[in-house]
Amino acid sequence: MALLVERFGEVVYRNELTNYLATQVTTLTRNSLDLHIMRLRRRLQSIDLSIRTAWGRGYILEAMRS
């Protein structure tokens, strides 16, 4: 979440998130990042934020669209 917050509204590349996650988790699988993003998306709904997928690049944290 820290990388997404630091670069709010900008693309955070998937490999950057994977590298950051690798320092936090002892066992990193291919689906670890997807699982973390899914959990973050659920939590962010209540405060009107969303994580949008930038296909082929990464993710963007932004305010929910009306």
Side-chain angles (χ1 to χ4, degrees), residues 10-15 17 30 34 37 41 51-62 65:
E10 300 175 14
V11 174
V12 178
Y13 293 93
R14 188 174 175 87
N15 64 343
L17 290 167
R30 181 165 160 66
D34 296 332
I37 294 294
R41 283 178 169 152
I51 298 174
R52 183 168 51 97
T53 301
W55 292 106
R57 295 181 292 166
Y59 300 94
I60 304 169
L61 177 65
E62 60 189 6
R65 299 176 187 172

Side-chain angles (χ1 to χ4, degrees), residues 22-54:
T23 65
Q24 307 295 316
V25 179
T26 55
T27 56
L28 183 64
T29 65
R30 181 165 160 66
N31 294 324
S32 294
L33 179 58
D34 296 332
L35 179 61
H36 285 285
I37 294 294
M38 180 187 72
R39 289 177 178 165
L40 286 172
R41 283 178 169 152
R42 285 185 196 158
R43 291 178 181 174
L44 292 172
Q45 286 178 345
S46 64
I47 57 171
D48 293 331
L49 291 175
S50 67
I51 298 174
R52 183 168 51 97
T53 301

Side-chain angles (χ1 to χ4, degrees), residues 4-19:
L4 291 166
V5 170
E6 285 177 19
R7 299 200 347 226
F8 185 85
E10 300 175 14
V11 174
V12 178
Y13 293 93
R14 188 174 175 87
N15 64 343
E16 292 176 276
L17 290 167
T18 302
N19 291 340

